[in-house]
Amino acid sequence: MTFATCLNCIDGRVQLPAISWITENYNVKYVDMVTKAGMDGFLAAKNSDIHEILKNVKVSISGHGSNNIFVAGHYDCAANPVDDMTHKKQIYAAVKRIKNLFPDLNVIGLWINENFVVENVSEK
């Protein structure tokens, strides 16, 4: 069994598009989803306490052998109501933060647009 990990918003509209895109593009069967409202903005904020998120990521890595971590942001986010460019900047910052914590893993940024189409916006 192959797993990936996705750090995503709680918004139900973006779960299936993210899971489908990841399984289709990264040769994994399952995606462990770690959710928080406005995940991209939360991870990008330097003073945010991401302890609980990291605890879940570590379970995905150690328990399921995940070696790809995805950070997703999306259009029309109720918890992080910023413009698309700001979301993408937050995704880049979040990817950098997570990559610094897990340097041996692939950390990929995803943007889910107004049509709920997933775009790879950074691969670091």
Side-chain angles (χ1 to χ4, degrees):
M1 292 187 293
T2 54
F3 283 82
T5 307
C6 185
L7 310 180
N8 203 352
C9 185
I10 64 166
D11 191 320
R13 300 173 296 171
V14 297
Q15 306 305 319
L16 290 178
I19 291 167
S20 295
W21 190 91
I22 292 166
T23 58
E24 290 169 13
N25 289 281
Y26 279 83
N27 195 33
V28 296
K29 190 167 183 177
Y30 304 105
V31 179
D32 289 337
M33 194 67 65
V34 179
T35 63
K36 173 128 181 99
M39 180 68 86
D40 56 339
F42 179 75
L43 290 174
K46 292 179 182 173
N47 62 344
S48 59
D49 179 4
I50 63 172
H51 175 76
E52 285 299 315
I53 290 167
L54 295 178
K55 186 168 95 175
N56 288 302
V57 170
K58 290 174 185 174
V59 169
S60 182
I61 293 166
S62 65
H64 293 154
S66 177
N67 61 8
N68 292 300
I69 301 173
F70 297 86
V71 176
H74 70 96
Y75 172 81
D76 191 35
C77 182
N80 187 15
V82 297
D83 62 76
D84 294 3
M85 186 56 69
T86 302
H87 272 290
K88 290 177 183 178
K89 287 178 183 176
Q90 291 172 339
I91 293 167
Y92 299 141
V95 165
K96 184 177 178 183
R97 184 176 189 186
I98 297 300
K99 183 65 177 174
N100 285 338
L101 296 168
F102 300 99
D104 295 333
L105 303 182
N106 296 318
V107 183
I108 300 100
L110 302 179
W111 170 245
I112 303 167
N113 69 26
E114 66 276 4
N115 298 310
F116 300 99
V117 174
V118 179
E119 304 167 22
N120 182 336
V121 293
S122 68
E123 185 164 343
K124 308 236 181 231

